[in-house]
Amino acid sequence: MRPDILNPLFAEVTALKGIGPGLAKPLERLGLARAVDVAFHLPTGFIDRVERDELMAADAGRVIAIQLTPVNYKMGGSARAPARVHAIDVHGNYVSLVYFGGNSGWVKKLLPLNEPRWVSGRLEQYGQDLQIVHPDYVLPLDQKDEAGGREAIYPCSEGITSRRIAALAAQAIERAPELPEWIEPSLKAQKGWPGWREALAAIHADPSEAKARERLAYDEIFANQLALMLVRGEARAKRGSPLAGDGRLRDRLQLPYTPTGAQSRTIREIEGDMAQSQPMLRLLQGDVGSGKTLVATMALLIAAEAGAQGAMLAPTEILARQHFETLMRMLSGLDVRVAILTGRDKGKAREATLMGLADGSIDILVGTHAIFQEGVRYKDLGLVVVDEQHRFGVAERLMLQSKAQVPPHLLVMTATPIPRTLQLATHGEMDVSRLDEMPPGREPIETSVISEDRLAEIVEALGRHLGSGKQAYWVCPLVEESEKVDLAAAEQRAAELQMRFGDKVGLVHGRMKGPEKDAVMARFASGAIGVLVATTVIEVGVDVPNATLIVIEHADRFGLAQLHQLRGRVGRGGGKSHCVLLRGAGLSETSRARLALMRDTNDGFLIAERDLELRGGGELLGTRQSGEAQFRLATPEMMQMLMVAANADARLLVDQDRGLKTVRGEAARTALYLFERDAAVALLRAG
C-alpha cells in the first residue's frame, strides 16, 4: 500500500479546483490523470517578459509588457479578416493589437477606447508598423502585477492553455509533501541539489533552474536503478535447474552458414549461464539480420538436450508463425518436436498441443501471449526466450516464468540496438550479449533520400523492379486520409498503385483482423503479391527474401530507430537491396541530418545512439503498469549525465540494506512508490 503521505499527490486530477468536463479531454490527451501527473508535467521553457514604457522597433521578437491606450478600431469585413485595435504608448507611438477569428464585440469590451490597459505580448515588425498578435495579457493598470516577468511554458493540447496548466501545477505542488531524503548526503551536498519538494516547486516557478531539474531527473533515474537492482537481486537469489546440454542435437544441426565470432561467443555465454543453478537472465541484442534466431535455436536445443522444454514468446502472430517455420526448417531430421500456440488455435489441434506440453512430448513451443494463458501446463519448462523484448513488460515475463516448477532460464532478445544509457535504464538486471557482426552474404542496403515531388519516377522504378521478378514494400504512416495531417494514407496509396499494377498490390495495416492480415502476408511471402502497401505493422519480424525494395513515404516523420527497423525488412536474401526515403518539402535542419544519417550508415547501434539524442528514450522503454522504465523527468541528456552515478548509488544501497529497512532505505522505498516502480514495490511487499 502506498504511504499515506503520498495520497494527496496521487488523487485523481478532478480533485484539483476548476477541472470540469471541458478540461477532462485535453488533460486525458496529455496523460494527466492524477495530481502527481500534473506535478511531473514539467515546463519546457519560459517567456522572459520585459517591461517598457516606449515602443521600439529594436524590441521586435521579444515579449514585452507596456501601458497602451486604444484609440480606434479596424474590424474585418469578413469572419476571416482580423480585428485590429490601434493603440498608443505614453509617448504617442502606435502599435496594432491583432485578433484573428475574434468576436468584434468581445475585442471592444476587452480594449475600450481611450482607457489605458497593461498589455503583454510578442512585439512584431509588420512592414513599417509594429503589431502584437493575440496579446498574452490585457489588464487594467491596477492588475498589472498578474503579468509577471517570467512565465513557464508547458506542453499543451487543444483545449487547454499553458497558463491553465500552470495554475493546475501550482495546486498539485501544494499537495506535494515534504519527503524524507533518499539521496546519499555527500552526493547531494557535492551537487548542490535542493530538497525534493523544493526542487519541484522551483522548476515550475522558473524552468531555467538547472539544479532543480537535475535533482528531479536524478530522483527518477535513481528510483529506476534501485528497482532494477531489487528485481535482479530477487532473481539471483532464486534457484533453478542447471541445464547442461550434451551436444547430441546441436552437433547434427545443419547450419545455413558458419556462425560469426559474435554468435559463437554469445552461445558460449548462454551455455555457461544455463549450466548454473542460478537462473539465466540474459539480454541478447543485435542489429537487424545479425543472426539472433540462430543463437536462440541453439539455446532451445541446449534445453532439449538436457531433457527440459523451451518456450519462445513472440509479440505478433505473424512473427510467431515465422519463427515456427524457421525452427521446423532448421531442426528437420532431429529428434525434436516443435509446436505452435496462438490465440487462433482452437479445437483438437489446440488440445493436442496442450496435451503434448503437459506430458513432455513437445520439446519446444513457439507462440504469442497464448503460451502463458490459463490452462497451459508444461511438464518441465526450463528455458523461456522472449523475442522483441521492448514489446513486453515485466508482468508478461513473470506470467510465463510462473509456468515452470522452478524458475526457468530467461533469454530476451531485441532487434533494436540499445545505447548503453538505455541498457542500464531498461535492462539493468540482466547480463548482456551483443551481436555486432553480420553473417556472411549480407550486403549493406543502399539508401536514397528523394523528394516526394519525384513520386511518379519512383512508381516507374517500382514497375521495372516488379518486372524483374522482385517484390517490394511501400510504407505509409496512416491508414486512411486525415483532414488534420497531410500524410499519405495506406489505403489511398494502395488504391492508386492497384490502378497501375492491378492485383499485384496488397494492403496490410494494424486495423485489420488477424486472419485477414495473415492471409495478405502469406500471399506476399508466397510471391502472389508483388507490392505490399503497409503501415508500420511490418516493422518487426517480416522475412521475405525476394523483397529487395522498400519505399517509405514521409520518412522525415518517423524516428531513426523505426526507419532502421523498417529498412531491415529488405536485404534478407542474396543480392543488392534498396531503401527509398521519400521526404516532404521544407525540412528542418534536424530532419535533414537524420535522413542523411540513414543514407550514410547501416550501423544500427550508431543510429540508436543518435536517435536517443534526437528523440529521447520513450519508444524503447516499457510501461509504468508493467513495472518497466518510463521517464517523465529525466531527458536523454540527463540520463547520460546521471545514470552511472545513480546506478552506483543504488547498488551501494542494496548491498548495505537489501530490505530497505534503514532510515535511508525507508526513504528510498518512498521514492519507489513516488515513481511507481511497481515490480520492485511488489518485491518489497512480499519480503
Side-chain angles (χ1 to χ4, degrees), residues 231 234-236 238 279-282 311 313 371-372 378 381-386 389 393-412 429-430:
V231 171
E234 177 74 7
R236 297 300 189 198
K238 292 179 178 177
M280 173 175 67
L281 271 177
R282 185 166 290 276
L313 173 63
I371 71 175
F372 57 71
Y378 297 82
L381 180 60
L383 170 68
V384 174
V385 179
V386 180
Q389 156 66 10
V394 168
E396 287 88 348
R397 293 207 323 243
L398 293 179
M399 284 181 69
L400 186 50
Q401 289 175 270
S402 71
K403 295 293 182 179
Q405 299 170 19
V406 295
H409 298 280
L410 178 65
L411 175 67
V412 299
E429 84 279 25
M430 296 182 182

Side-chain angles (χ1 to χ4, degrees), residues 332-542:
S332 63
L334 299 185
D335 185 21
V336 178
R337 186 179 172 194
V338 184
I340 185 169
L341 186 64
T342 71
R344 280 175 52 196
D345 295 306
K346 309 289 183 186
K348 291 183 178 179
R350 176 182 169 84
E351 289 302 318
T353 300
L354 295 181
M355 191 178 299
L357 289 173
D359 66 20
S361 59
I362 290 177
D363 302 294
I364 298 172
L365 180 68
V366 182
T368 57
H369 290 73
I371 71 175
F372 57 71
Q373 296 303 317
E374 188 175 352
V376 180
R377 303 273 189 274
Y378 297 82
K379 181 179 181 182
D380 183 12
L381 180 60
L383 170 68
V384 174
V385 179
V386 180
D387 195 13
E388 292 307 329
Q389 156 66 10
H390 67 282
R391 302 294 185 91
F392 299 101
V394 168
E396 287 88 348
R397 293 207 323 243
L398 293 179
M399 284 181 69
L400 186 50
Q401 289 175 270
S402 71
K403 295 293 182 179
Q405 299 170 19
V406 295
H409 298 280
L410 178 65
L411 175 67
V412 299
M413 307 192 298
T414 179
T416 304
I418 306 172
R420 174 170 163 73
T421 301
L422 283 184
Q423 185 179 302
L424 276 174
T426 57
H427 305 290
E429 84 279 25
M430 296 182 182
D431 297 313
V432 178
S433 293
R434 178 168 166 170
L435 296 180
D436 49 11
E437 297 177 59
M438 285 292 176
R442 293 290 298 240
E443 288 193 43
I445 300 165
E446 186 176 289
T447 303
S448 305
V449 180
I450 298 176
S451 170
E452 61 187 9
D453 295 339
R454 297 171 59 191
L455 182 63
E457 295 178 40
I458 301 301
V459 174
E460 288 295 328
L462 175 61
R464 294 191 296 273
H465 184 80
L466 296 177
S468 70
K470 296 294 186 179
Q471 293 168 274
Y473 299 97
W474 192 297
V475 181
C476 301
L478 294 182
V479 174
E480 55 193 20
E481 291 290 357
S482 166
E483 295 178 0
K484 292 188 176 182
V485 186
D486 181 23
L487 298 179
E491 290 176 341
Q492 179 66 27
R493 182 62 66 215
E496 292 171 357
L497 292 176
Q498 283 165 352
M499 291 177 65
R500 174 70 183 274
F501 303 114
D503 59 7
K504 289 184 179 179
V505 180
L507 171 66
V508 64
H509 56 72
R511 295 186 190 176
M512 294 167 66
K513 292 182 178 178
E516 183 184 6
K517 191 188 308 178
D518 289 347
V520 177
M521 293 300 303
R523 291 187 65 216
F524 184 63
S526 70
I529 291 174
V531 184
L532 184 66
V533 180
T535 56
T536 55
V537 69
I538 66 159
E539 179 186 344
V540 169
V542 180

Side-chain angles (χ1 to χ4, degrees), residues 651-659 662 664:
R651 188 182 301 276
L652 179 64
L653 178 59
V654 171
D655 287 346
Q656 295 175 342
D657 180 18
R658 182 170 298 278
T662 63
R664 187 184 171 213

Side-chain angles (χ1 to χ4, degrees), residues 201 241 287 315 327 353 355 420 425 448 592 597 637-638 640:
S241 297
D287 208 345
L327 285 171
T353 300
M355 191 178 299
R420 174 170 163 73
S448 305
R592 288 183 186 279
L597 182 67
E637 293 77 17
M638 290 289 188
Q640 289 176 322

Side-chain angles (χ1 to χ4, degrees), residues 602-636:
N602 281 272
D603 185 340
F605 288 96
L606 175 63
I607 289 170
E609 293 283 357
R610 186 72 177 128
D611 200 37
L612 177 62
E613 294 172 17
L614 293 172
R615 283 163 47 88
E619 187 174 291
L620 296 178
L621 305 182
T623 61
R624 181 168 64 243
Q625 289 76 11
S626 298
E628 298 284 348
Q630 183 188 63
F631 292 91
R632 295 184 286 188
L633 311 182
T635 64

Side-chain angles (χ1 to χ4, degrees), residues 445-448 465 548-551 570 576-580:
I445 300 165
E446 186 176 289
T447 303
S448 305
H465 184 80
T548 57
L549 170 66
I550 184 167
V551 179
V570 297
K576 195 73 175 174
S577 290
H578 302 268
C579 172
V580 176

